[in-house]
Amino acid sequence: MKSKHWTWVGWPLGALPLAWITMQAAGGQLGPDPAETLVELLGWWSLVMLLACLTMRPAAQLLKVPGLVIWRRTFGLWAFGYVCMHFLAWATLLLGWDPSFLGEELTKRPYIIIGMLAWLALWPLALTSTRQSRRRLGRKWVKLHRLIFPAVLLGVVHQSWVQKSGYGETLIFVSVLLILLLYRILHGRNMIRK
Amino acid sequence: MIIRHKDPSAPKSHEITPESVYLKRRELMMLGGLAGLFSAMPAWGREIKAVDEEASRPLWLKDQVARAIDGAPDTDETLTPYADVTGYNNFYEFGTGKTDPAENAHTLKTDPWTVTVAGEVEKPGTYALEDLLKGQQLEERIYRLRCVEAWSMVIPWVGVPLASLLIKLQPTSKARYVAFTSLADPKQMSGVRSPFTGIDWPYREGLRLDEAMHPLTLMAVGLYGRTLPNQNGAPFRLVVPWKYGFKSIKSIVRIELTETMPETTWNMLAPDEYGFYANVNPAVDHPRWSQSRERRLPNSFFDPNWVPTRPFNGYDEVASLYKGMDLGKFY
């Protein structure tokens, strides 16, 4: 995997939504229910980052820009970061870490449980994201990092269950995910070897 | 790290309305307290749009709204600011996002407006809104609005009890329900054009006749002393304060008295989640989230402003309508 001099751009790129959200929050632009809106925005960008991460390998192949592959890690880690902030904002701003609120949400609300599982699935990926880990784990690393697929899937289900109805956004996430999975099935061998 | 204030009975600073302001609030409003209105609004653009909309309303309606009297019941709860009431809406005809209606509803043409009255009434017909409201004394009613999504507002509506309209239309002895239909014009409504809302247009709602006749049930044409902004369901909408917000159907074009229970939009969409009655009930959770508490808007990053949800949204006087009914079954 060659690192090009421009690949660092992925890091600030992933930070852009956060900067935008922070500006909106600081400017009081998040409406009358700002904490809820913040939680929703962070969750939405978590999914976008996860999908961006999955898009990088096909994009590198299709655009013939091999350097893009390194952005899988960039966006993968950003995805993990956004999910962590999503969780922290939810638990802190909306629930105030109130044990009875938290207990109820974590045991009674399927969409919360599913979201938590998605988050848990991302932990080992984030923790083994370094080059050393990759070298050390070898082929096991590749297998382990397939956890991203259940994580995204759970994330999309979580997103679709939060809302009252209206499946526009969910449809976008699902379509992108399906295209990526299809590409992977068609070019799968290629992707693992490379 | 946020340090939470643990004393639940202590009022939060933003909840407190100075008494002097509170006592004068009607005068402030009746004087056309535009200053207060303007200062509550975040963006100049929105202010100007709202003013323009109000300016284009028919004179008879503005007149009638201006002559509204105080209607019981009252509340001493802090009103949700005008900017939030008119900037944060669920009105899927204009998009599913909370700010979509405020951004998109300017395309709605509310004058002239007609309402078709049909079914089990002695006086069916297609009425101009002006004729339907002719001779009706409008009232200001401050109601809590509890959304099924677990947030709530306090809104000063201007309207007429539905009962006053129905008495004039004379339901027949066969009438047992009232069915309402919203406008669903893809030309005027971006959300109706969108294939992604999941809703089978037009939006439909209904009440049992005794619910419709209850003195709390209001047909609103205004809020905050002005005509309804488009995004709040102009020019003519239902307000049933003891039911979840989705029952309070907006921009109504048809009222039909029926013998059988009418189909209602959210019930058609997800019958296990949204019932026909949809009475606010902290004891019956939404299958996916809790209904035991609500965020009273506006809130802040530092305090989500949770308040306990009350049965019938605190309007205990309607409880007798449901005597003997299992409200867990008829949610």
Side-chain angles (χ1 to χ4, degrees), chain B residues 4 6 9 24 38 50-51 67 118 123 127 136 156 175 200 205 227 232 241 244 283 302 306 308 317:
Chain B
R4 280 195 104 218
K6 283 292 180 191
S9 62
K24 276 193 295 192
F38 284 160
V51 170
R67 282 186 282 109
K123 296 189 171 168
Y127 293 84
Q136 298 286 357
D200 177 16
E205 260 310 333
T227 61
N232 293 85
Y244 292 118
F302 308 104
W306 290 110
E317 58 267 53

Side-chain angles (χ1 to χ4, degrees), chain B:
Chain B
M1 195 68 203
I2 307 300
I3 297 160
R4 280 195 104 218
H5 201 297
K6 283 292 180 191
D7 179 1
S9 62
K12 292 134 193 161
S13 63
H14 67 270
E15 281 184 344
I16 301 167
T17 306
E19 194 186 23
S20 57
V21 175
Y22 166 70
L23 291 171
K24 276 193 295 192
R25 72 197 189 287
R26 290 197 190 276
E27 289 91 311
L28 283 171
M29 247 151 24
M30 288 307 158
L31 284 168
L34 289 180
L37 214 59
F38 284 160
S39 68
M41 280 188 270
W44 283 100
R46 190 177 289 169
E47 241 170 70
I48 290 158
K49 203 163 89 184
V51 170
D52 284 348
E53 214 171 77
E54 176 76 2
S56 69
R57 298 294 192 225
L59 215 59
W60 67 265
L61 183 59
K62 282 195 279 191
D63 260 14
Q64 210 166 343
V65 168
R67 282 186 282 109
I69 56 166
D70 289 0
D74 211 339
T75 168
D76 55 5
E77 285 164 293
T78 309
L79 298 183
T80 304
Y82 184 82
D84 295 331
V85 172
T86 60
Y88 191 84
N89 307 93
N90 276 327
F91 195 178
Y92 281 18
E93 280 83 340
F94 294 103
T96 53
K98 293 285 186 293
T99 55
D100 290 347
E103 281 159 26
N104 302 330
H106 58 93
T107 53
L108 175 68
K109 197 171 176 294
T110 60
D111 180 52
W113 191 270
T114 57
V115 180
T116 299
V117 177
E120 295 298 335
V121 278
E122 301 291 352
K123 296 189 171 168
T126 296
Y127 293 84
L129 182 60
E130 182 176 5
D131 296 332
L132 204 59
L133 296 176
K134 196 164 278 173
Q136 298 286 357
Q137 174 62 61
L138 301 188
E139 296 176 27
E140 178 176 80
R141 302 269 185 100
I142 299 175
Y143 284 160
R144 292 176 290 276
L145 176 109
R146 169 58 156 84
C147 179
V148 75
E149 297 165 342
W151 53 266
S152 62
M153 293 184 175
V154 182
I155 303 174
W157 300 103
V158 177
V160 56
L162 175 56
S164 311
L165 299 184
L166 288 178
I167 286 165
K168 283 204 158 182
L169 298 168
Q170 298 175 14
T172 70
S173 58
K174 285 185 185 164
R176 289 188 55 217
Y177 294 91
V178 188
F180 305 88
T181 311
S182 286
L183 179 72
D185 181 0
K187 283 200 230 62
Q188 300 182 58
M189 300 169 137
S190 51
V192 177
R193 288 197 296 272
S194 158
F196 301 123
T197 59
I199 287 176
D200 177 16
W201 306 108
Y203 194 89
R204 277 155 274 184
E205 260 310 333
L207 296 172
R208 229 168 48 192
L209 187 58
D210 57 342
E211 297 176 319
M213 295 298 288
H214 194 277
L216 281 176
T217 305
L218 195 73
M219 296 305 300
V221 293
L223 58 82
Y224 265 100
R226 298 146 59 97
T227 61
L228 280 178
N230 287 356
Q231 61 268 32
N232 293 85
F236 185 56
R237 66 166 293 170
L238 179 68
V239 181
V240 194
W242 72 91
K243 292 176 182 282
Y244 292 118
F246 68 83
K247 291 295 287 184
S248 293
I249 180 171
K250 303 183 177 85
S251 303
I252 294 167
V253 292
R254 185 183 168 87
I255 298 175
E256 184 176 350
L257 283 284
T258 63
E259 282 189 77
T260 52
M261 186 182 278
E263 289 201 304
T264 57
T265 294
W266 282 98
N267 182 243
M268 289 155 69
L269 207 62
D272 54 326
E273 299 189 339
Y274 310 102
F276 173 82
Y277 287 96
N279 292 321
V280 175
N281 191 344
V284 177
D285 278 348
H286 186 284
R288 288 179 283 144
W289 57 79
S290 167
Q291 296 293 26
S292 64
R293 56 187 184 268
E294 64 205 49
R295 296 186 306 283
R296 178 62 53 83
L297 306 189
N299 56 21
S300 75
F301 282 120
F302 308 104
D303 185 353
N305 207 14
W306 290 110
V307 298
T309 292
R310 293 193 270 164
F312 303 113
N313 203 18
Y315 298 97
D316 301 331
E317 58 267 53
V318 301
S320 59
L321 293 173
Y322 309 100
K323 203 171 279 170
M325 277 174 70
D326 177 356
L327 293 176
K329 193 172 160 215
F330 298 101
Y331 49 90

